[in-house]
Structures are given as C-alpha cells and as structure tokens.
Amino acid sequence: MSPFTPGPQSGLHRKGLRGHGTERPRRSLWQRFRLHRFSSRLLHGGLAIAAVATTTLTDTAQAAPGLVIDLASGNVIYQSEATRPWYPASLTKLMTLYVALQAVRDHRIGFDTPLVVSARAHAMPPSKMGFKPGTQVTLGNALKMLMVKSANDIAITVAEGIAGSVEAFAEDMNAQAADLGLRQSHFVNPNGLHNEQHYSSARDMALLARALYLRFPQYASLYNIGALRLGNQIIQNHNNLLGRYPGVDGMKTGYTCTAGFNIVASAEQSGRRVIVVVLGSPNVETRTIKAAALFDRAFSNIDHAFVTLDNLPVPPDMLPSPYDVCRNRAQVMAEANAEIDTLMTPLQAGAFTPQPERAFLFDADALGRAVPVASRITLVPRPVFDPQPVSVGPVAGYSGPVAQARAPHTPIGSAPLPELASAYAPKAAARPLPLMPDLDAVPLKQTQTPIKPAVVLKPAPVAHRMAHHAPVSPPPAHAAATVKPPVVKAKVVSVKPVVLLKTAAPLPPKTAEKPKTAGKPAAKVSAKTATTEKTAVH
C-alpha cells in the first residue's frame, strides 16, 4: 500500500485547539463539501471575524518564527523571525538524538546496550512510556520511542545512560551546540520541558536538522517511523504531515504551553530536500497548514535562496520570548490566520485552480495533481502505517555492560552511586529486616482499665468468710482483735478471696469449738464472737 493511500479504517484524523487527537467517522459528501468550503473561506480571509481581527492588528501583529532551508546548500529560502529566541519544547529531542548518535559513532555505547530506567526518569510528566524503575530498554528501542512517542522519561533514561546524569548530558548538548554553531540555544534537559534557561531558535533547529541528515544519513529512517508496536499497544507518531504531504519523511514535533505547537519537518521532491521549521502555532491544524504552505512555496519556486544561515541577522535581545500561546489564544489565532493568508496569496495567484466538485474526494492522486496542498491538507486523513515492533529488556544473549545513572561522565558499566542504586532497585531486593520483640512492651491482651465496682468485695464479708472457713482452730481473743481493715483491703484488690472461696476447706465440727471448762473467759470469748458475727451480717 502506498504511504499516501488511506487505509480502510483510517477515518478522518484531526486535532483540535487542545491538541488531542480523535478519530472521527467519515462524513457525508455534503458535510465534506461544506467543510472544504469553510476551510477555503478561512484561508482566503472570508470570515468576518478574521478580517476584523487582522485589520486591528496590522500595526502590532508579529509573525511567529518560521524558516525554510535547502538541505544540500544550507541556503535560506524563507525566513521570519528565524533568530528570535524561542522555547523548543520537544524539538529538544533532536539534540538528544544527535548526542546519542555521536556517542555511538565514538564507540562509547551501542544500540544493543541496555539502559536502566531510574526513579527520576519514571517521575517525568507525559508524554511518557511509563516504565517502572529498574526496567531495561536498549538504546535502539529507546531512540525509536523518543522520536515517535516523544517520551520524556525515555529522554532522561538516554541521558543518564550515556553521560551518567541529566546535568552531565546537558553539558554534552551545549558542547555539541557550540560545535554546530547554534547561536541562540542553551539546553538544561534532554526532553524540552519548560525551563527559563532552556531555549533555541528556528535557525538553530534548522541547522541541527541539517546536521542530522548530513552527518548521520544511515539513521534517517528514525525520523520517518509512522507507528510503533509495543506488545498489544500501537503508538502513533505526532507528526501529522507524514503520509499527508507528498515527500514528507520527518522529523519532530513539540508542544508546551509557553512554546506553542512547534515542528521541524523535511520533505523531498524531484531529488530536492527542503527543511521547514515552524514555531509558536496556536494549534495543530494551524501548524500543519503553515508548514504545508511553506513546502508549497519552496517546491513551486516562489521563494528563492537569498542568504545563508550564517548571515541571518541576530536580534539584540538574546533572552527567550515571553510569548504565551495559552493566555493570548485569540490574538495568536488572528496573527496566525493573517500570516497563513499572506503565505497563500502567491500560491492562489498562480496556476492552481480549485475544483470544488472534487475537493471532497480523498485519494492519493489528488495530492499530486493540485498545488497548493496546504489549502486542504487538514482534510486528508492520516494513513494507517505498518508499525515497527519495539520491546523492553536486553537483547537475547547480550553480555556487555549496562548503562545506568552513575557518576557524571564515567564510563558505561561503572557502578552507580549508592543513592542512585537504591532509586531504581526492584522492590523485591530491598526487604526490611524483621523487627525484634521489645521486652518492655505491654501485651495487647493486658488492659489498664480499672477493676469494675461489681468485682470489689466489701471488707466485712470477706473477713467474715475467711474467719469462718479457716481450717484451723479459732485464734485467741487478743489475735481476733488485731485484725484491721487495711489488711483486708489489700487482699480484696488482689482478687484472691474469690479463689479462696472455691478452694476453702469444709467447716470443722461444732464440737471442736466448745470450751473444755465453763467459766467467765469462755463466756467472754463467746460474747465477742457473737458481736463480731452480728456486725458482719449487717
């Protein structure tokens, strides 16, 4: 199947203002015709809202950065604010790829070398692969995920695997940028997440893209992967020019709120390759239309080379632009529509003649018959690509070193730092030691609640029962008088009298308690005993 032929289930793939891709069912012929007419009016300034907005911004409107160069010569075909500092977003990953390929060329790492995902990489925000810390992925598979998925966690994994740390890899990026002659670029991370000190320009991105094609032509297929297959998951490329504009075969897209929608794209027609850079578009559709219009102008010879990249004017202010697409969307949309209308005017004035009766028919031949393609690039459905397989884990039989986070700029295979080793170690390898029992700990079954009042026995009945059930003969009179309540209370708190009631000996016979002689002492003792019994009962 031709790469420009839509598949049976391709549908109409479009992206809205928020950049979220959605698959929509095919529209009827009337719906498609009305959609084409709406797009044409938008491009030609037919909408009243766009016309009013552009007339109020004629003095203050500022075009977003854009650049077109010829790959072979490096000459500039078209430029607009090409040296204006800008946030590159995920276009940064082109420099990450360049440093990685340079490391492969220098034999410091191979495509089969496993990279270990660290906890720092796992903590990156989307877009990401989401691999757990400790997961291994080869450099070859990681670079494919980097270019197709634009995975931020994989960018960190590549940086740590090659240079040992993100900071050390950023030093390598800036060193390579200086070697390439990038004047408006400074990198602090390998994925392009927003940072005030992380910026570039359209000129530098075009120069970097040209260096990738010229210095590493054998790896050009990395930019032209339409989809990946990881297990049962299909990962689509974010570059929606692939398979929609004739000859497009790369390279990279990027987006953050402050940067807008960026793209570096390359296309080849009739043996001539052109590189287009678009920065700061308010949405995906505007970025796609603008890039297609720049390709149309270049391949139609409307724009001609007039200056080299080294001769472009350098702005006096080298700080990144505070341009914010999110907060100024209405103004940015008006500026983008006005700029697209300006780019499309020479194309519409040429030999191109619209054919409304065939404009809604989507076929591969229509792309090659009519120019400009930009007028209806968003109406062309994305093709269904044959996904390339990727996997996790090392290559079978691999016995070489493993690249992981370690001391900066140390050789691959060096032992990681102690604090880094625990960051990506599997959880099963770090089992906590069993706790030793505390000899002073209070058992859980033992409670500190006070004894209930119902359990406490009165001293008098306890004294009476103990005296009554004693297994020995009754004590003398002076001994019975010495019994005091405090002693009885101590016995009651220990709750031992209850046990004594259950194990008490049987009562002795009454004959044993009778005195041998009938005298006053015996009567006196009997009287005291009777008094004590009377008191105990009450």
Side-chain angles (χ1 to χ4, degrees):
M1 180 181 295
S2 172
F4 304 110
T5 304
Q9 297 179 355
S10 60
L12 182 60
H13 189 86
R14 303 185 64 191
K15 293 187 177 181
L17 295 179
R18 297 183 177 88
H20 299 292
T22 56
E23 290 289 342
R24 301 181 181 179
R26 287 187 176 273
R27 297 177 172 89
S28 64
L29 296 180
W30 173 245
Q31 289 176 331
R32 279 180 266 177
F33 177 75
R34 293 183 61 187
L35 182 60
H36 170 75
R37 185 172 58 182
F38 175 81
S39 178
S40 300
R41 288 182 179 180
L42 177 62
L43 294 176
H44 301 153
L47 291 179
I49 297 177
V52 173
T54 54
T55 55
T56 58
L57 296 172
T58 52
D59 297 331
T60 60
Q62 183 169 297
L67 181 65
V68 182
I69 67 169
D70 181 78
L71 177 67
S73 63
N75 293 331
V76 176
I77 302 175
Y78 170 90
Q79 80 90 18
S80 173
E81 302 287 337
T83 56
R84 183 182 177 187
W86 206 268
Y87 298 115
S90 288
L91 299 186
T92 303
K93 297 180 176 71
L94 290 175
M95 176 56 77
T96 302
L97 176 66
Y98 185 89
V99 176
L101 295 179
Q102 189 68 40
V104 173
R105 170 176 288 184
D106 297 340
H107 303 286
R108 293 188 286 118
I109 195 173
F111 289 110
D112 292 339
T113 303
L115 309 175
V116 181
V117 178
S118 66
R120 181 175 184 177
H122 179 70
M124 289 295 106
S127 175
K128 61 190 296 183
M129 297 300 297
F131 297 144
K132 295 181 179 180
T135 304
Q136 294 186 8
V137 56
T138 63
L139 177 63
N141 287 326
L143 294 181
K144 293 178 181 178
M145 299 173 187
L146 187 72
M147 298 304 296
V148 176
K149 178 66 174 178
S150 192
N152 295 324
D153 52 352
I154 294 299
I156 298 295
T157 302
V158 171
E160 293 176 339
I162 293 177
S165 67
V166 173
E167 292 72 19
F169 191 82
E171 295 176 1
D172 295 344
M173 297 173 70
N174 291 318
Q176 294 293 342
D179 180 67
L180 292 173
L182 308 188
R183 300 173 181 173
Q184 297 91 34
S185 296
H186 183 263
F187 304 99
V188 298
N189 60 60
N191 48 32
L193 292 177
H194 180 70
N195 189 296
E196 294 292 338
Q197 301 301 320
H198 189 100
Y199 50 86
S200 187
S201 66
R203 172 197 176 273
D204 288 357
M205 287 291 105
L207 194 58
L208 174 60
R210 182 170 183 262
L212 283 169
Y213 273 111
L214 296 181
R215 298 191 180 187
F216 305 104
Q218 65 273 31
Y219 306 124
S221 60
L222 288 172
Y223 327 132
N224 194 26
I225 302 176
L228 295 176
R229 181 187 298 275
L230 179 61
N232 296 327
Q233 181 184 5
I234 302 298
I235 304 172
Q236 298 289 343
N237 197 313
H238 297 288
N239 186 358
N240 57 355
L241 287 174
L242 290 174
R244 303 175 77 182
Y245 192 96
V248 169
D249 53 6
M251 298 184 63
K252 190 72 185 71
T253 62
Y255 168 77
T256 61
C257 181
T258 52
F261 291 85
N262 305 336
I263 189 171
V264 174
S266 63
E268 183 178 5
Q269 292 184 10
S270 303
R272 181 191 181 195
R273 182 176 295 276
V274 172
I275 295 177
V276 169
V277 181
V278 174
L279 304 179
S281 294
N283 54 46
V284 175
E285 291 186 356
T286 305
R287 179 186 69 186
T288 303
I289 295 173
K290 181 178 179 179
L294 292 175
F295 276 129
D296 287 339
R297 292 169 64 98
F299 290 125
S300 301
N301 295 323
I302 294 177
D303 297 322
H304 302 279
F306 63 95
V307 70
T308 62
L309 287 171
D310 294 333
N311 297 329
L312 287 174
V314 179
D317 186 8
M318 296 299 296
L319 295 176
S321 170
Y323 191 89
D324 191 344
V325 177
C326 294
R327 291 194 293 267
N328 303 317
R329 179 173 296 276
Q331 177 179 347
V332 174
M333 281 295 299
E335 294 176 359
N337 291 334
E339 185 180 8
I340 290 175
D341 183 61
T342 302
L343 293 174
M344 293 291 295
T345 300
L347 295 172
Q348 297 293 343
F352 172 72
T353 302
Q355 301 178 9
E357 68 277 7
R358 293 185 53 83
F360 52 82
L361 297 180
F362 301 147
D363 60 333
D365 296 336
L367 293 176
R369 287 196 306 266
V371 177
V373 180
S375 61
R376 64 192 194 286
I377 184 65
T378 58
L379 303 179
V380 180
R382 297 184 64 176
V384 176
F385 296 99
D386 185 16
Q388 293 192 17
V390 291
S391 60
V392 296
V395 178
Y398 179 82
S399 59
V402 176
Q404 55 190 345
R406 59 193 184 278
H409 300 299
T410 55
I412 294 174
S414 302
L417 298 176
E419 60 272 15
L420 297 177
S422 60
Y424 54 79
K427 295 183 179 180
R431 295 182 178 179
L433 296 176
L435 297 176
M436 298 300 296
D438 188 0
L439 300 179
D440 298 332
V442 179
L444 296 177
K445 293 184 179 180
Q446 181 175 350
T447 59
Q448 300 295 331
T449 56
I451 300 176
K452 296 181 180 181
V455 179
V456 180
L457 302 177
K458 295 182 180 180
V462 173
H464 166 68
R465 292 174 184 176
M466 292 181 61
H468 186 69
H469 298 289
V472 297
S473 57
H478 65 277
T482 59
V483 179
K484 296 180 180 180
V487 179
V488 177
K489 288 183 179 180
K491 292 182 181 180
V492 172
V493 172
S494 62
V495 201
K496 291 182 179 180
V498 178
V499 179
L500 292 176
L501 290 176
K502 294 182 180 180
T503 59
L507 295 175
K510 295 182 180 180
T511 55
E513 296 181 358
K514 292 182 180 181
K516 295 181 180 180
T517 58
K520 292 182 180 180
K524 188 176 181 180
V525 172
S526 176
K528 290 182 179 181
T529 304
T531 305
T532 304
E533 293 179 357
K534 184 177 181 181
T535 305
V537 171
H538 293 285

